[in-house]
Amino acid sequence: MGFPKQRLRRLRQNENIRRLVRETHLTVDDLIMPLFVRPGKGIKQPIPSMPGNYQMSVDKLVEEVKILEGLGIPGIILFGIPDKKDEMGSDAYSDEGIIQQAIIAIKKTAKNILVITDVCMCEYTDHGHCGFVRRDERSGHFDVDNDMTLELLVKEAVSHAKAGADIIAPSDMMDGRVAAIRDGLDENSFEQIPIMAYSAKYASGFYGPFREAAESTPGFGDRTSYQMDPHNATEALREVSLDIDEGADIVMVKPALAYLDIIRIIKDNFDYPVAAYNVSGEFSVVKAAAEKGWIDEKRVALEILTGIKRAGADMILTYWAKDAAQWLKK
């Protein structure tokens, strides 16, 4: 049976009918807000390339987290900018590190929001790479030493857990890091803490504004020797499969918007909790166009977030989380 008896527009004629047949529902429950914390007091420093986002001292961060908690946002993910950087990224795993201080402060005042911590070395090393760098004797090039880096990541993850982190999220893309972190957490009696693995993290051009926000631009070269090639999809399935086998509780695709197909194939192949990171470049291009009056930011942002959800994401890390939580209430 076709037209004229079938008229699909019948179910589009008003908002209440559209609501009844809507297939994908974006809610505040889907949102995780990334936040940037730095040393000091009374600091709320705007990030020029990411309007509406800030580097905050711990006291200002706590104020922001309480607002997010009040909006019903279930979780935040923390990124730290240390006072000093060194070759080994020692602030990342110091009990007095900036992230550790932030976790402790948040847990005292905002008890109903999940604190997720990014586990990586790039914000803490003086060279800006995601681990311990050594010179390859065969090529003469400098590169991240995978296995040495695993030791540092375990120390960082355990220190975050000791401070009170609810979920550990390794983003470094070292081989074997999920198993190493899972073992490290379990050996320190943190068996209950889940791992949200950045499983399919691509070497993307969409990270530019984040690198300003986190002050983590590589001092030399790039990250293509450890982050994934944007041309590959099957490789993402292999990465996710390995992370699940190693003990990941949630797997992530990053970026989201240019990798909706990856989100879908991972969800279809594994039926596992999938996070998607709507990254800084995806956010900032919309902000820039909206500031010029070319697009309606609210409409486009919610369309993007809905598209990520429709692709199969169970949760979305997005710089629009605070705004979206308020938009979705209206």
Side-chain angles (χ1 to χ4, degrees):
M1 181 174 65
F3 179 84
K5 292 191 179 297
Q6 267 198 349
R7 293 177 181 264
L8 297 185
R9 287 183 59 191
R10 291 187 191 119
L11 300 182
R12 301 175 194 153
Q13 60 186 298
N14 63 58
E15 177 60 12
N16 281 334
I17 291 177
R18 291 192 294 271
R19 286 171 61 199
L20 287 172
V21 299
R22 192 158 287 154
E23 299 171 22
T24 303
H25 296 273
L26 178 72
T27 75
V28 69
D29 296 338
D30 302 317
L31 306 175
I32 297 168
M33 182 72 186
L35 296 172
F36 301 91
V37 60
R38 66 172 309 125
K41 191 172 183 180
I43 297 171
K44 192 173 182 180
Q45 182 172 308
I47 301 166
S49 60
M50 297 171 64
N53 289 267
Y54 306 87
Q55 293 180 344
M56 291 175 279
S57 54
V58 171
D59 56 325
K60 291 295 183 181
L61 180 81
V62 169
E63 292 176 7
E64 184 70 9
V65 172
K66 289 169 71 175
I67 293 170
L68 298 173
E69 182 183 39
L71 290 169
I73 292 172
I76 59 166
I77 183 165
L78 294 178
F79 298 91
I81 300 98
D83 189 34
K84 294 180 181 179
K85 303 188 180 195
D86 57 40
E87 183 182 13
M88 301 296 288
S90 58
D91 195 87
Y93 43 85
S94 166
D95 289 343
E96 304 300 320
I98 187 61
I99 289 293
Q100 292 79 353
Q101 294 177 44
I103 298 167
I104 292 167
I106 291 167
K107 285 298 178 181
K108 288 179 179 177
T109 56
K111 301 182 185 300
N112 295 316
I113 196 165
L114 289 170
V115 177
I116 306 164
T117 59
D118 179 82
V119 170
C120 193
M121 305 302 295
C122 61
E123 299 112 294
Y124 307 96
T125 55
D126 54 14
H127 46 71
H129 278 280
C130 297
F132 177 72
V133 170
R134 73 166 72 242
R135 186 173 180 273
D136 187 298
E137 294 184 2
R138 289 179 299 174
S139 67
H141 297 148
F142 287 92
D143 197 11
V144 175
D145 184 305
N146 191 98
D147 295 4
M148 178 64 183
T149 299
L150 297 185
E151 297 178 21
L152 302 180
L153 296 170
V154 171
K155 290 170 65 176
E156 182 179 7
V158 171
S159 74
H160 290 182
K162 287 179 178 177
D166 296 298
I167 298 176
I168 299 298
S171 65
D172 54 283
M173 287 302 288
M174 296 298 112
D175 291 333
R177 90 272 203 213
V178 173
I181 290 171
R182 183 73 272 162
D183 287 345
L185 291 172
D186 292 354
E187 288 166 6
N188 285 275
S189 301
F190 295 116
E191 300 92 341
Q192 80 282 7
I193 293 184
I195 294 175
M196 175 191 287
Y198 289 63
S199 298
K201 180 179 179 180
Y202 286 85
S204 171
F206 283 100
Y207 301 148
F210 174 91
R211 290 175 181 171
E212 177 190 10
E215 300 181 9
S216 61
T217 302
F220 61 89
D222 56 33
R223 297 184 174 126
T224 54
S225 72
Y226 43 101
Q227 294 178 356
M228 284 182 58
D229 185 337
H231 301 82
N232 295 352
T234 303
E235 184 184 7
L237 296 177
R238 294 170 61 198
E239 287 281 8
V240 169
S241 179
L242 286 168
D243 282 358
I244 291 172
D245 287 346
E246 290 179 16
D249 301 281
I250 301 166
V251 295
M252 189 194 298
V253 177
K254 181 182 180 183
L257 193 55
Y259 299 86
L260 297 176
D261 60 321
I262 306 301
I263 296 170
R264 173 47 57 192
I265 63 171
I266 288 172
K267 192 63 179 177
D268 288 346
N269 277 270
F270 296 100
D271 193 24
Y272 215 70
V274 176
Y277 202 140
N278 175 215
V279 300
S280 60
E282 298 168 349
F283 170 84
S284 294
V285 295
V286 174
K287 279 285 189 182
E291 286 178 359
K292 287 187 172 289
W294 293 343
I295 58 174
D296 178 334
E297 180 190 354
K298 174 183 173 181
R299 183 175 180 181
V300 170
L302 290 177
E303 188 173 343
I304 287 171
L305 297 175
T306 300
I308 296 168
K309 181 79 183 290
R310 190 179 63 246
D314 299 291
M315 61 205 79
I316 305 170
L317 293 76
T318 177
Y319 301 98
W320 276 303
K322 183 179 180 181
D323 289 337
Q326 295 173 85
W327 293 334
L328 291 167
K329 284 185 175 182
K330 297 177 180 178

